[in-house]
Amino acid sequence: MTDQTLGDLALEVRSKNAGPFWVTMELFLRDDAGYALAASPEIVNEQVVASLYDVRAEDVQIFRIPSLHVVKISFPRPVPQGGLRDRDIHAGQHHVPLAALAAVLPG
Amino acid sequence: MSAPTGAVRVLSPTGMLGAGFAESTVDRGLELGADVISVDAGSTDSGPHYLGSGTAKTTAAAVARDLRILLRAAARAKIPLVVGSCGTGGTDSGVEQVARIVDEVLREEDLGLSVATIRSEQSAEFVKQRLREGAVHPLAPATALDEATVDSCTHVVGMMGHEPIEAALRAGADVVLAGRATDTAVAAAFPLMKGMPAGPVWHAAKIVECGGQCTTNPRTGGVLATIDHSGFTIEPLDPDAACTPISVAAHMLYETVNPFRMREPAGELDVTGAVYTAVDDRVVRVEGSRFHPADQHTVKLEGARITGYETMSFTAIRDEHIIANIEAWTELFTEVLTGRVEQTLGLDGTEYSFDLRRYGYDAVLGGLDPAVRPPREIGVMLLVRARTQELATAVAKVANPLMLHLPTPDMAYLPSLAFAYSPAETERGAVYEFALHHVVDTRTPTEMFRTDHRKAPARD
């Protein structure tokens, strides 16, 4: 098995603020096969997102949209927008850890 | 009984007033029979500074350039123009700034249009009164509001729904300049006034709010939505761009927490059952959108407050030994700076704070970063925050010799690092944070908003 990532399977992976207190990100998968992997709860689930972004799993919302081949993830912004320690005002670069996640089913 | 007939065409020239668009795209929208032009002029997306300071992100010249084209188009086609969230934050100063620009353009172009302004700024007294009455509620992830937080805000705005805008249009305004409004209310007000059904109206309003974002080429200009009694169609104003079922449906994902349900002051848009169909290779039809009226009409509050003053300093490292030992260098920097600030300014860590960012290494994602490649160079940004500008700058100046000469612990000489400019310290002024994420139960949808009408100037 290769070490393919979710980013390798996607046309686009993006992230953005959803208002000042939430961040949201989307994986736009290339095809049915890529979508099947990305939408698999064994690869992307609340716990995985929580560890990638150091947030609480119970705050993570995941939307799987087969008609668009999209997996969308939202969670409260860990750092207040515009605060001293906010290094990404629009949260526009926070898709990178998600894109780098291995897209391999366990077992 | 046959279904009601008729349609309303909404022209959305751009996602942000002042971002620019080709005049030909607006001409094209008029040719297609636009009934109203709506455009958003604000957002919280660029941070709390604009609301907190009551200043605009867009430069006045760019806003004037876009408004000149839109006002001329509205006058020529005899259709209304609605501008929402004037001046970025939607403060009263933002509405006044846009109103001044509109006045100037109307005078220069000799256009006889009547203008309504709708102010949305809220007094601390009003918010505290409603809080005491139990009418203010937090939105996740915020917690219950307290009066001190309200008092700490430099500006508080209420985010209006379509109702105050519709009232201004009904009163005969040709141009409506609204303070803070939901992005969608700006486009929804006119078709709702014309009796179009709420489901398609709010869904179309959400799709057009970012102009060409819902097309295959977002940089080419705006879109036209045609709303009727069973749904809406959407098409780009640039003949070379296209809307596809995917590009339109995907726009519901943009900057939303939940892509299927969106709360508005009057209720909730529900697109779970929406069906997107290609009419041809550049026009999309959408049906099945629903709107559920809320039991309680609410208005969302936004507020920002000053958290301190910042001074920034920036230097760069190319030396491979320091880059290879950047963690040790950073630790030493923090330790020496903390000690020197105490020694010279007598400040402990409660009186100032700083953030040392290593651009090119891990500044953007910090500990979340999956990459392990060594950088070629590292830009070091020091951001100091304190309760006054003088104090923040004093701390940054104490750090200056470290930004220039700090070695790693194992180096036997002082390196000289690459300051990007001189003087190294840049004062950033007051810095803000968003302090409110709450809604107010309203008694009427318009009670929190103040509308002034100005008739068209008499013409010779």
Side-chain angles (χ1 to χ4, degrees):
Chain A
M1 198 66 192
T2 60
D3 49 358
Q4 70 177 357
T5 64
L6 288 176
D8 295 333
L9 303 175
L11 292 166
E12 182 185 354
V13 188
R14 68 183 186 187
S15 64
K16 195 80 198 284
N17 296 331
F21 297 97
W22 287 77
V23 55
T24 190
M25 47 193 80
E26 290 104 26
L27 291 153
F28 291 83
L29 285 314
R30 223 179 284 280
D31 51 28
D32 287 339
Y35 175 77
L37 279 174
S40 161
E42 289 183 273
I43 291 178
V44 178
N45 60 47
E46 288 77 1
Q47 195 55 57
V48 165
V49 175
S51 7
L52 278 182
Y53 289 98
D54 198 18
V55 295
R56 299 190 319 169
E58 56 266 44
D59 293 335
V60 176
Q61 300 185 24
I62 301 179
F63 303 91
R64 297 178 177 89
I65 311 170
S67 59
L68 297 177
H69 288 158
V70 162
V71 176
K72 179 177 172 74
I73 298 166
S74 300
F75 50 82
R77 233 176 174 284
V79 181
Q81 190 195 9
L84 180 66
R85 289 175 213 290
D86 183 15
R87 279 107 171 267
D88 188 2
I89 295 283
H90 295 257
Q93 289 293 300
H94 273 68
H95 59 290
V96 170
L98 178 66
L101 189 68
V104 180
L105 282 167
Chain B
M1 201 178 88
S2 62
T5 54
V8 173
R9 294 176 175 81
V10 180
L11 192 171
S12 172
T14 174
M16 177 64 59
L17 185 70
F21 46 81
E23 187 164 6
S24 60
T25 59
V26 174
D27 292 341
R28 170 82 181 142
L30 296 190
E31 282 162 23
L32 290 168
D35 297 301
V36 62
I37 301 172
S38 69
V39 63
D40 187 16
S43 172
T44 57
D45 203 38
S46 294
H49 169 86
Y50 303 102
L51 173 60
S53 62
T55 56
K57 176 183 166 179
T58 37
T59 187
V63 170
R65 182 269 178 192
D66 285 2
L67 277 173
R68 189 178 302 276
I69 292 169
L70 298 179
L71 288 164
R72 280 199 299 234
R76 188 162 83 239
K78 297 189 169 55
I79 59 175
L81 168 66
V82 180
V83 184
S85 300
C86 287
T88 307
T91 55
D92 292 355
S93 57
V95 174
E96 281 154 26
Q97 189 215 14
V98 174
R100 273 198 304 276
I101 296 171
V102 165
D103 283 349
E104 208 174 295
V105 173
L106 292 182
R107 203 172 49 246
E108 287 169 4
E109 300 284 329
D110 193 25
L111 301 173
L113 300 176
S114 63
V115 179
T117 55
I118 311 175
R119 284 174 296 158
S120 61
E121 202 151 337
Q122 307 298 314
S123 72
E125 281 320 305
F126 171 82
V127 177
K128 289 191 290 184
Q129 179 63 33
R130 296 302 282 149
L131 182 59
R132 286 191 285 269
E133 290 164 356
V136 178
H137 315 287
L139 296 171
T143 54
L145 188 58
D146 58 66
E147 296 197 9
T149 301
V150 179
D151 283 325
S152 70
C153 290
T154 51
H155 293 279
V156 175
V157 291
M159 219 174 184
M160 73 184 79
H162 65 286
E163 302 92 346
I165 300 169
E166 182 178 337
L169 290 168
R170 280 188 191 281
D174 301 314
V175 179
V176 179
L177 306 177
R180 190 67 173 129
T182 70
D183 296 352
T184 37
V186 181
F190 186 83
L192 287 173
M193 180 178 94
K194 291 293 178 188
M196 294 298 125
V201 168
W202 287 106
H203 194 180
K206 168 61 189 166
I207 296 299
V208 305
E209 54 112 354
C210 282
Q213 184 89 31
C214 63
T215 70
T216 52
N217 188 354
R219 292 185 298 104
T220 59
V223 288
L224 185 86
T226 303
I227 303 157
D228 58 43
H229 286 271
S230 52
F232 67 95
T233 58
I234 178 123
E235 64 187 284
L237 294 172
D238 182 311
D240 295 329
C243 285
T244 69
I246 297 280
S247 75
V248 175
H251 188 65
M252 288 305 292
L253 305 166
Y254 190 67
E255 294 179 344
T256 57
V257 172
N258 182 321
F260 298 113
R261 287 170 175 272
M262 282 183 47
R263 180 64 206 252
E264 291 290 331
E268 191 178 63
L269 169 64
D270 175 358
V271 304
T272 318
V275 178
Y276 305 79
T277 321
V279 174
D280 57 30
D281 58 5
R282 53 187 302 280
V283 181
V284 171
R285 173 85 185 159
V286 184
E287 293 187 358
S289 334
R290 299 168 67 194
F291 189 80
H292 310 295
D295 294 334
Q296 173 64 57
H297 184 281
T298 56
V299 163
K300 188 171 156 189
L301 296 173
E302 290 172 347
R305 62 181 170 198
I306 293 177
T307 55
Y309 294 79
E310 280 183 2
T311 299
M312 181 185 80
S313 183
F314 191 89
T315 193
I317 303 173
R318 182 62 182 80
D319 184 294
E320 282 170 20
H321 181 78
I322 305 178
I323 287 175
N325 295 279
I326 189 67
E327 295 293 350
W329 184 88
T330 306
E331 258 178 59
L332 184 62
F333 186 102
T334 302
E335 183 195 317
V336 176
L337 178 61
T338 308
R340 285 286 293 154
V341 168
E342 194 168 359
Q343 223 174 55
T344 53
L345 301 170
L347 300 179
D348 67 32
T350 63
E351 290 163 290
Y352 73 101
S353 44
F354 67 88
D355 196 32
L356 194 72
R357 307 174 173 189
R358 302 168 298 191
Y359 283 93
Y361 178 59
D362 70 343
V364 179
L365 291 171
L368 309 177
D369 203 314
V372 290
R373 288 188 300 273
R376 183 194 298 178
E377 57 187 33
I378 299 177
V380 177
M381 178 189 289
L382 173 70
L383 213 47
V384 180
R385 179 174 299 189
R387 70 186 141 74
T388 65
Q389 187 73 74
E390 293 70 26
L391 216 49
T393 297
V395 172
K397 281 177 183 277
V398 169
N400 185 297
L402 312 180
M403 299 284 281
L404 178 59
H405 286 311
L406 188 77
T408 56
D410 61 348
M411 285 167 72
Y413 58 95
L414 291 184
S416 293
L417 305 177
F419 269 126
Y421 44 75
S422 175
E425 294 78 25
T426 303
E427 296 189 336
R428 295 202 349 95
V431 290
Y432 299 84
E433 68 179 358
F434 287 112
L436 302 179
H437 192 49
H438 298 78
V439 293
V440 187
D441 296 341
T442 60
R443 290 159 293 204
T444 75
T446 54
E447 67 165 335
M448 291 169 64
F449 308 101
R450 302 169 304 284
T451 303
D452 292 298
H453 288 274
R454 213 199 42 235
K455 289 215 164 56
R459 308 180 72 185
D460 304 329

